[in-house]
Amino acid sequence: EAQVTQNPRYLITVTGKKLTVTCSQNMNHEYMSWYRQDPGLGLRQIYYSMNVEVTDKGDVPEGYKVSRKEKRNFPLILESPSPNQTSLYFCASWPGTGIGVGSEGYTFGSGTRLTVV
Amino acid sequence: AQSVTQLDSQVPVFEEAPVELRCNYSSSVSVYLFWYVQYPNQGLQLLLKYLSGSTLVKGINGFEAEFNKSQTSFHLRKPSVHISDTAEYFCAVSEMDSSYKLIFGSGTRLLVRP
């Protein structure tokens, strides 16, 4: 089954303790992205990657890092989490070919609910 | 810069009644438009998309949306809703000639009551 898999689904951590949220896709998609979802704000892009070793900042990159060493994996790293990073996080992927990002839409993971206390 | 506005944060409606969820966008170039649905404790699922051609787009679960370029709108409609349609709905836009970015609205929670 074609899918984007995120782990963990739920995570409670303390301020300052480094954590990694993993994201893996099995569709050989070139493009991957991380979003955070907050009430009343919709989804905002954190980082995206257009291919292996190519990453760039989205709209809210502060406090986050990413890496893209393999095509299928795109982990999100919080070096020193703070309470304002408590949110619902989504990873998404897209084939990267065709008439533009819109033509296929994104495939989303099931989300990771992070609480930082 | 492109933006998406969903004016209604919550829309309560009775079962079997029609519903319209409003979406307006702002962009200086041509766009692709999307509606996604998020059921409780799940990820986002594509409902429908407008790329080009007919302005009336049909999606899954009986939903449809109409692209109105002059009003920069892409409202979502369903003639008769079910309890199972209770979910959050997101409108999203992507500019045709630019980046790999999907801009989302703030979401509308559809609450279907028996």
Side-chain angles (χ1 to χ4, degrees), chain A residues 29-77:
Chain A
H29 285 177
E30 290 185 359
Y31 181 81
M32 298 183 76
S33 181
W34 276 102
Y35 285 85
R36 61 177 288 174
Q37 181 183 0
D38 301 290
L41 297 177
L43 282 81
R44 294 176 292 168
Q45 191 179 52
I46 303 171
Y47 268 94
Y48 64 95
S49 169
M50 293 171 64
N51 214 324
V52 176
E53 302 292 1
V54 180
T55 63
D56 208 347
K57 296 177 181 179
D59 296 316
V60 288
E62 294 77 21
Y64 304 95
K65 285 176 58 177
V66 293
S67 69
R68 188 90 183 274
K69 293 183 170 55
E70 309 164 276
K71 200 174 203 178
R72 63 183 292 124
N73 296 323
F74 191 46
L76 179 69
I77 303 157

Side-chain angles (χ1 to χ4, degrees), chain A residues 1-7 9 22-29 31-34 71-74 89-95 105-112, chain B residues 43-44:
Chain A
E1 181 188 353
Q3 60 185 357
V4 176
T5 303
Q6 291 178 231
N7 280 296
R9 290 292 308 274
T22 63
C23 174
S24 180
Q25 50 95 2
N26 62 0
M27 297 165 282
N28 202 36
H29 285 177
Y31 181 81
M32 298 183 76
S33 181
W34 276 102
K71 200 174 203 178
R72 63 183 292 124
N73 296 323
F74 191 46
Y89 292 86
F90 287 102
C91 181
S93 73
W94 168 66
Y106 290 10
T107 300
F108 283 87
S110 298
T112 295
Chain B
L44 279 76

Side-chain angles (χ1 to χ4, degrees), chain B residues 49-111:
Chain B
K49 61 188 176 186
Y50 171 78
L51 305 181
S52 64
S54 172
T55 56
L56 183 63
V57 180
K58 293 189 183 298
I60 61 173
N61 300 340
F63 284 92
E64 64 180 32
E66 185 157 19
F67 170 54
N68 188 319
K69 188 174 183 179
S70 62
Q71 298 187 3
T72 59
S73 68
F74 191 54
H75 300 332
L76 181 70
R77 303 184 183 102
K78 187 169 182 178
S80 176
V81 295
H82 303 289
I83 297 285
S84 59
D85 292 322
T86 294
E88 186 142 22
Y89 292 80
F90 292 95
C91 182
V93 63
S94 172
E95 292 184 339
M96 285 187 188
D97 61 349
S98 72
S99 63
Y100 295 71
K101 179 179 281 190
L102 203 57
I103 301 293
F104 287 85
S106 55
T108 297
R109 183 170 298 281
L110 177 63
L111 181 58

